[in-house]
Amino acid sequence: MIVCKFGGTSVANAEAIARAVDIVTARRDRRPVVVVSALGGVTNDLLDVAQRAASGNLLLAVTIVESLRARHLETVASLLDGSSERDEIEAEVSAGLDELAHLAEAFNTLGFVTPRSLDAVAAIGELLSSRIVAAAFRHRGIDAAWVDARDVTITDEHFTRAVPDVPRIAAAARDHLRPLAMRGVVPVVGGFVGATPSGVTTTLGRGGSDFSASLLGAALEADAIEIWTDVDGMLTADPRIIPSARLIDRIRFDEAAELAAFGAKVLHPSTIAPAVQRGIPVYVFNSRRPAGTGTMITFDAPRHPVRAIAGKRNTTLVKLRSARMLLAHGFLRSVFEVFDRHRTSIDVVTTSEVSVSVTLDDATHLEAIVADLSAFGDVSIEQQRGLVAIVGAGLADGAKTMAQALAAIDPISVHMASLSATGINFTLVVDDAQVVPAMQRLHETFFPEAA
Ligand code: ADP
Ligand code: ASP
Ligand code: MG
């Protein structure tokens, strides 16, 4: 069994879905389970509907709903022309978007949206795309069955960023997906979407379809997890920032996980963990060029001092100075408990004898965090910071690569630096505006174009 996940651009329209049909057809004998994102850009539009409606602009919200309806119906019309299922799928699309319009009216009346209702809205994208793709597969001769993601991707109630319940997902995948795949039927499931054990819709967080694919791959003990996207694989940097970035043919799980966590959007940061636990290789392929070799992510790949550069903008730097830290044990635990309490994860940490500095990606609970940390000492906040990460399994080569990196970005100011003890990630905190120039210089240094 394999899991094939198609991202937003890989199912953006009828043409892209037709390519996905060919890719899955070529893999029929490997018993594929298909995970799909919403049609490209739809999740943004859905969230926009909710925000606009809640802030009083119902007219604009309804206009977006209608453009979503037109886009989905157009896709159905061109994919299911002549199919006996066309009417049924059109009715399902309309029902989903009618529900969205009703929700928008409710948000408009209330003047706010709750995380729970945001998830109900965001999930519509994958619930519709997965139905459309399943019907398109059937119309083109693949025996496929739509499976409701809410029956398999079971999570807790942490709406908008729900935590998967791995044992329940394993049981549900055995019940709902395995029997289909074993009979030669291709199950098609929406990514990103889940539900609590009592059936309330949740989502795994933005970009979460990759995570759905690896959770289901691990649950099914799949032979491979394939992430089909709009680039040739994992590259030495984001090609939107560094057009000359090169394809990485093989990369280690830990390197790929670092890159994802430090801004390489090609993989959701949680994708690697379930695959590593089961030793399932993850491949990244380009759905527009299915003959490409892609990237294989696995335990053993050749070591390179530097494998790739990643960057992340809009980071917050929190600095705590406290004389109490001097020689005190248990101090860091108390500090980290604050972040835990506010469900905020930390990207980078550095400490000195009397201070601890951390960077945060998500500043939603910053005010409460600062209030709690103030009990330990003086807290200062630096916003508009960014991170650049140099990732490679051979970074622990003494100071050579680090010195090269620092020389490459000079005179860009570095506010904080951290070399992971495993020697695989050297992260620098710079001004937000310097993230892109720093990435460009680092890429030029470690991956010179002439080489
Ligand atoms: P999908 O909708 O298929 O999930 P995403 O937009 O989430 O696609 O991820 C693919 C994008 O990730 C690429 O278009 C690329 O701009 C970006 N990206 C960032 N870093 C990297 C990298 N190191 N290698 C490849 N792509 C990257
Ligand atoms: N559609 C969701 C998003 O845009 C999930 C995904 O595409 O991975 O965030
Ligand atoms: Mg993605």
Side-chain angles (χ1 to χ4, degrees), residues 5 7-8 37-38 43-44 126 191-192 205-210:
K5 176 260 173 177
S37 288
T43 311
N44 286 344
E126 271 73 5
F192 175 60
R206 295 305 308 271
S209 292
D210 301 329

Side-chain angles (χ1 to χ4, degrees), residues 125-451:
E126 271 73 5
L127 292 173
L128 293 183
S129 67
S130 53
R131 282 187 172 97
I132 295 172
V133 168
F137 279 10
R138 283 191 293 266
H139 188 46
R140 285 159 195 250
I142 301 179
D143 193 0
W146 176 69
V147 175
D148 191 332
R150 295 166 297 188
D151 291 333
V152 281
T153 310
I154 310 301
T155 70
D156 71 359
E157 292 196 348
H158 190 232
F159 296 104
T160 75
R161 219 189 269 180
V163 178
D165 183 330
V166 171
R168 279 195 162 102
I169 293 175
R174 272 197 303 274
D175 292 348
H176 296 282
L177 300 175
R178 182 181 290 279
L180 289 170
M182 294 322 270
R183 283 207 321 266
V185 179
V186 177
V188 180
V189 196
F192 175 60
V193 175
T196 65
S198 57
V200 182
T201 304
T202 57
T203 69
L204 299 175
R206 295 305 308 271
S209 292
D210 301 329
F211 191 22
S212 299
S214 75
L215 286 165
L216 297 179
L220 293 165
E221 296 181 359
D223 300 315
I225 297 161
E226 298 183 349
I227 305 290
W228 290 87
T229 184
D230 60 355
V231 283
D232 286 343
M234 287 196 96
L235 308 180
T236 50
D238 185 344
R240 287 182 211 195
I241 297 173
I242 318 274
S244 62
R246 295 182 214 152
L247 178 66
I248 298 172
D249 53 355
R250 281 176 78 126
I251 185 168
R252 289 166 27 147
F253 279 127
D254 53 0
E255 294 172 312
E258 292 289 337
L259 287 171
F262 284 85
K265 191 190 165 214
V266 62
L267 281 184
H268 181 278
S270 306
T271 313
I272 298 298
V276 173
Q277 275 157 20
R278 301 270 173 185
I280 304 171
V282 178
Y283 295 83
V284 182
F285 292 122
N286 189 343
S287 65
R288 287 204 185 94
R289 303 202 309 136
T293 50
T295 299
M296 179 188 191
I297 308 171
T298 175
F299 282 119
D300 53 306
R303 278 173 186 274
H304 291 253
V306 177
R307 207 69 189 92
I309 310 291
K312 202 154 144 176
R313 301 193 54 184
N314 288 319
T315 294
T316 303
L317 179 54
V318 179
K319 294 180 172 171
L320 171 68
R321 277 183 73 84
S322 170
R324 278 169 54 194
M325 194 172 160
L326 206 65
L327 301 176
H329 63 83
F331 182 82
L332 283 177
R333 192 194 63 202
S334 320
V335 169
F336 290 134
E337 267 170 7
V338 170
F339 294 96
D340 185 34
R341 210 161 41 242
H342 296 289
R343 297 192 79 128
T344 298
S345 65
I346 292 168
D347 278 335
V348 190
V349 187
T350 61
T351 61
S352 75
E353 195 51 47
V354 290
S355 73
V356 47
S357 306
V358 304
T359 69
L360 311 178
D361 192 23
D362 173 9
T364 319
H365 304 294
L366 188 60
E367 232 174 277
I369 289 170
V370 171
D372 288 1
L373 287 179
S374 301
F376 303 112
D378 297 331
V379 184
S380 66
I381 301 296
E382 295 176 18
Q383 268 159 332
Q384 288 174 351
R385 296 288 186 237
L387 306 175
V388 285
I390 301 127
V391 173
L395 267 173
D397 57 354
K400 198 166 150 258
T401 306
M402 281 190 288
Q404 249 181 311
L406 289 169
I409 68 162
D410 180 62
I412 293 174
S413 320
V414 175
H415 303 287
M416 185 169 141
S418 160
L419 173 70
S420 67
T422 48
I424 137 163
N425 182 347
F426 182 43
T427 304
L428 302 169
V429 179
V430 296
D431 288 342
D432 189 61
Q434 297 296 344
V435 169
V436 169
M439 283 179 72
Q440 285 163 339
R441 284 156 179 240
L442 289 166
H443 198 269
E444 244 167 68
T445 300
F446 293 111
F447 305 97
E449 263 184 71

